[in-house]
Each structure stands twice: as C-alpha cells, then as structure tokens.
Amino acid sequence: DGGITQSPKYLFRKEGQNVTLSCEQNLNHDAMYWYRQDPGQGLRLIYYSQIVNDFQKGDIAEGYSVSREKKESFPLTVTSAQKNPTAFYLCASSPGHYNEQFFGPGTRLTVL
Amino acid sequence: QQQVKQSPQSLIVQKGGISIINCAYENTAFDYFPWYQQFPGKGPALLIAIRPDVSEKKEGRFTISFNKSAKQFSLHIMDSQPGDSATYFCAASMNPSDSNYQLIWGAGTKLIIKP
C-alpha cells in the first residue's frame, strides 16, 4: 500500500523541549513538504524539499528545522525557539507533475 | 500577486442544494488549480483539479468552473449531501520549472450540509 505516514498522531511537549515529527512516504515522490495548520486556518508552508539533501524555507520556517537524507523521509524538528508551536502539522509529497500533493494524516502537537 | 483569495469563509447549504465556493487570483502565470477536501483531524485530499486550457471540468457531483479573463475559478457541488460537510481549499501553482513545486493555498471554506 503506497502512502504517507506521520508519527506520532498526538505529541505533547514541555516548554523548552525540542521535538521531532516523523514523515515517511513510499510513493517515490521527489518533493516533500511540511505545513502548519491552526484551528480554522489554512495551510502555511514551513519547509519544502525537491530532492535529497536539499530543502528550502517556506513562509514560517523560524523555530523549525528539517533534514532530507533519504528520498522517503523528511522529519521536522520543532525547536524551543518556536514560541507558539501548538498546532496540527501536515506532511505532504508530490511527484512533481502538475504539483499534485498527497497528504499524510497529520500530527497534533500540544505544548504543556 | 502570489495570493489566492477564497470565499466564503463558511457556508451552510440544505441537503440536495448546490454549494458554490469561489477563488480569485492575480498571477497570470498560474497554470494549475486544484481543490482539496479536508475532514476534521485528517489531512487534505485532492478532490478535482483544472488547467486553464478548459473552462469546466466535472467529476461526479463536483464541477470546477474556470474563468481565465476574470482570473477566477469556483467549485460547485451538486446535490450536496451531509457527507460533503468538510473544509474545502482552493490552490494554484505555476509550471513546475518556475515554482519549485509550491502550491499557493486559499484560506479555506467550512461547508456544512444541513439534513
């Protein structure tokens, strides 16, 4: 079964802690993305990557970091520098053709 | 110029009625216009998409109407059902070689279908 998996589904973080959200895809897609969604809001792009070992900042990259060491994996680290990290985080991938994006089920992060 | 403006923010439609959501853009370089559907607690999923070389695309009860001169596109849901209740996002992008594969997203419309 091809798809995108995100883990964990729910994550709780204490203030001052870094946490890493996992995103894995077996769709053989080149491009991968991280979005943040706040209640009642649209999607805001955090980071994206077109190829392995390369990634670009999106609109709200401050306080976040990513890596792309493998085509299948694009983990997102929410650092202590992110002042308001409580949100729903969505990972997506794209084959690059007409830019269709396929989304994972999301991780809901709550800061305690 | 990179924005996609979506309206309305929320919409209530009676079961069996037609739901209409509108989007407008400025950048004439956009050449791909998808609509995504998102249920609470889930990731968005592609519903239907259109390229500017056609004025309308229909898939089942869902139709995209595209007006290139007005730089507007809309989603029509015919015979709306309670199961269509979700948040709908329009988006736009340019040719992949120009856009780094980015989608520009509308703010979303929360649709409620009343039984």
Side-chain angles (χ1 to χ4, degrees), chain B residues 72-86:
Chain B
Q72 296 175 347
F73 59 109
S74 59
L75 176 69
H76 295 233
I77 305 174
M78 312 300 286
D79 187 26
S80 299
Q81 299 296 312
D84 297 331
S85 297

Side-chain angles (χ1 to χ4, degrees), chain A residues 97-99, chain B residues 29-34 48-57 64 66 68 93-96:
Chain A
H97 180 62
Y98 296 136
N99 302 335
Chain B
F30 288 148
D31 72 346
Y32 173 69
F33 303 89
I48 186 172
I50 197 168
R51 302 292 300 277
D53 51 345
V54 297
S55 60
E56 186 175 281
K57 183 174 181 180
I64 298 180
F66 185 79
K68 190 172 182 178
S93 72
M94 293 179 282
N95 183 289

Side-chain angles (χ1 to χ4, degrees), chain A residues 33 37 98-101, chain B residues 32 36 38 51 93 101 105:
Chain A
Y33 311 79
Q37 187 174 34
Y98 296 136
N99 302 335
E100 294 181 53
Q101 293 188 13
Chain B
Y32 173 69
Y36 282 78
Q38 184 182 29
R51 302 292 300 277
S93 72
Y101 300 168
W105 294 84

Side-chain angles (χ1 to χ4, degrees), chain B:
Chain B
Q1 264 221 330
Q2 285 290 86
Q3 281 187 326
V4 176
K5 294 183 180 179
Q6 184 172 347
S7 63
Q9 190 174 10
S10 62
L11 181 62
I12 299 174
V13 175
Q14 289 292 130
K15 178 182 174 183
I18 303 173
S19 304
I20 302 174
I21 304 170
N22 301 299
C23 285
Y25 64 97
E26 289 295 324
N27 192 338
T28 55
F30 288 148
D31 72 346
Y32 173 69
F33 303 89
W35 285 90
Y36 282 78
Q37 179 189 55
Q38 184 182 29
F39 293 105
K42 306 292 184 184
L46 180 66
L47 189 63
I48 186 172
I50 197 168
R51 302 292 300 277
D53 51 345
V54 297
S55 60
E56 186 175 281
K57 183 174 181 180
K58 185 175 180 179
E59 289 184 3
R61 296 184 294 108
F62 301 91
T63 300
I64 298 180
S65 297
F66 185 79
N67 186 329
K68 190 172 182 178
S69 59
K71 291 184 282 186
Q72 296 175 347
F73 59 109
S74 59
L75 176 69
H76 295 233
I77 305 174
M78 312 300 286
D79 187 26
S80 299
Q81 299 296 312
D84 297 331
S85 297
T87 299
Y88 292 82
F89 293 95
C90 64
S93 72
M94 293 179 282
N95 183 289
S97 64
D98 299 330
S99 69
N100 295 323
Y101 300 168
Q102 282 194 67
L103 280 172
I104 309 302
W105 294 84
T109 296
K110 185 172 182 179
L111 174 65
I112 297 173
I113 307 300
K114 285 189 138 183

Side-chain angles (χ1 to χ4, degrees), chain A residues 76-108:
Chain A
L76 173 75
T77 296
V78 184
T79 74
S80 57
Q82 172 47 240
K83 297 305 177 189
N84 184 22
T86 295
F88 189 47
Y89 290 87
L90 289 159
C91 178
S93 70
S94 171
H97 180 62
Y98 296 136
N99 302 335
E100 294 181 53
Q101 293 188 13
F102 297 83
F103 284 83
T107 292
R108 190 167 300 280

Side-chain angles (χ1 to χ4, degrees), chain A residues 48-91:
Chain A
Y48 66 99
S49 168
Q50 289 179 266
I51 57 172
V52 174
N53 293 322
D54 185 58
F55 48 82
Q56 307 294 329
K57 291 182 179 180
D59 301 320
I60 57 165
E62 186 175 350
Y64 300 97
S65 65
V66 293
S67 62
R68 186 88 185 274
E69 297 176 1
K70 298 187 299 182
K71 188 175 185 178
E72 303 81 21
S73 178
F74 191 40
L76 173 75
T77 296
V78 184
T79 74
S80 57
Q82 172 47 240
K83 297 305 177 189
N84 184 22
T86 295
F88 189 47
Y89 290 87
L90 289 159
C91 178

